[in-house]
Amino acid sequence: MKQTFINAALALMLAGAFVSCKKTSNSVDSTGLSQEEKSLVASAGFNSNWVEKTGAGYLIEGDILLTKAQLTEMSGATPTNNFIVGDEEHYHTYNMVSTPSTGARVITVRLTSGFPAYYSTGLDQALARYNSYGLKITFQRVSTGGDIVITASNLGTSGGGCILGQASGFPTSSGNPSSGFTLSNSSCATTYISTADKADEVIAHEMGHCIGFRHTDYKKRASCGPGPGESAGSIGAVYIPGTPTNVSGSYNSWMMACTNGSNSFGADDVIALQYVY
């Protein structure tokens, strides 16, 4: 998740940037990745020209941080008959969080130290919103352990904007949520995430990735204005029935690549959440 200015208005943007790195050999291109690494990223369903190699793994499409092992696992997925490549719709990945036949699965969430106090309030708000819709998953905050762990780090900037958060992938093949995500505690990030509502907005979005939701406008990123879209590929961008098949850049969804600053679920978001969970 990245902060940028669009049409003189502050927006949240989940986007990547082309990273200029010196070539070390003929097998490494300007992204700093070998052809083998680029092929792995592409086979996992992501844009191989929209990736940055970091000490912790591969930063993909701006806010998804994956290890080589995670990419390898994703590259083995196969399409389903519900795979639709459209322009702007609600989507989820092939791997989703497994749920019981009766009752609801409890997913624990922990916020580590290093955040301003209002981030804690924002997390409580985000969990309460998810829990208000009678889903087959519920979220419970814990002080130790945690299925989803939110860590703090100075994520810096990318592509001329301030990075607000980075998801650590999507649900695993065993049906567990992603292990968590990082929120930036840099002065640049906290300039935007300056209230509990803003923390709620960013946390809810990154949690959406953890439980398997792609960007609503992944194909064209219409909410961010003109620019490249994202790839679906083997990780999956499965259309969620009952949600719109054509939305504008100002469309309000908690999983839009760039938001309008709202910490709420739109009516179609609720349809998507309740259909999947």
Side-chain angles (χ1 to χ4, degrees):
M1 183 168 273
K2 189 173 73 176
Q3 179 187 23
T4 186
F5 285 94
I6 298 176
N7 296 329
L10 190 64
L12 291 180
M13 182 176 179
L14 290 158
F18 293 99
V19 179
S20 178
C21 300
K22 183 178 180 180
K23 293 183 179 180
T24 57
S25 72
N26 290 334
S27 63
V28 177
D29 69 5
S30 61
T31 66
L33 274 67
S34 67
Q35 288 304 309
E36 180 182 4
E37 289 172 313
K38 292 191 70 174
S39 295
L40 179 60
V41 171
S43 68
F46 298 104
N47 188 336
S48 61
N49 290 316
W50 202 335
V51 55
E52 176 184 355
K53 190 174 182 179
T54 73
Y58 299 87
L59 177 60
I60 298 171
E61 294 168 7
D63 77 325
I64 303 167
L65 185 64
L66 301 174
T67 64
K68 186 173 183 179
Q70 288 173 308
L71 286 170
T72 300
E73 179 184 6
M74 292 174 185
S75 69
T78 56
T80 73
N81 59 11
N82 200 25
F83 179 73
I84 298 176
V85 176
D87 290 344
E88 300 115 14
E89 302 165 339
H90 286 70
Y91 295 93
H92 67 76
T93 54
Y94 295 137
N95 291 339
M96 301 302 294
V97 177
S98 59
T99 58
S101 57
T102 59
R105 177 176 177 177
V106 177
I107 298 173
T108 55
V109 183
R110 175 166 62 94
L111 184 71
T112 63
S113 60
F115 292 104
Y118 58 83
Y119 275 61
S120 178
T121 303
L123 173 59
D124 289 339
Q125 291 179 186
L127 299 186
R129 286 198 292 120
Y130 274 108
N131 290 341
S132 68
Y133 293 106
L135 308 178
K136 296 287 287 184
I137 55 175
T138 61
F139 296 97
Q140 177 181 312
R141 187 168 176 178
V142 294
S143 57
T144 59
D147 300 313
I148 295 175
V149 179
I150 307 169
T151 56
S153 181
N154 185 338
L155 299 177
T157 61
S158 177
C162 178
I163 299 175
L164 301 178
Q166 290 176 357
S168 298
F170 298 102
T172 67
S173 58
S174 58
N176 293 317
S178 168
S179 60
F181 53 91
T182 301
L183 295 181
S184 185
N185 59 2
S186 69
S187 59
C188 174
T190 54
T191 296
Y192 180 82
I193 311 175
S194 59
T195 66
D197 284 351
K198 291 298 184 186
D200 173 358
E201 175 192 349
V202 178
I203 289 170
H205 181 104
E206 299 298 348
M207 284 180 60
H209 284 314
C210 289
I211 60 174
F213 288 94
R214 293 292 301 263
H215 292 150
T216 303
D217 57 341
Y218 93 96
K219 185 66 176 177
K220 289 186 175 179
R221 300 174 68 91
S223 60
C224 303
E230 301 166 12
S231 171
S234 57
I235 184 60
V238 181
Y239 168 64
I240 300 173
T243 62
T245 57
N246 186 20
V247 298
S248 70
S250 61
Y251 178 73
N252 182 34
S253 171
W254 102 109
M255 292 307 297
M256 290 292 271
C258 291
T259 84
N260 60 4
S262 172
N263 65 321
S264 64
F265 294 125
D268 296 316
D269 293 336
V270 177
I271 291 173
L273 282 165
Q274 292 182 335
Y275 180 88
V276 175
Y277 291 115

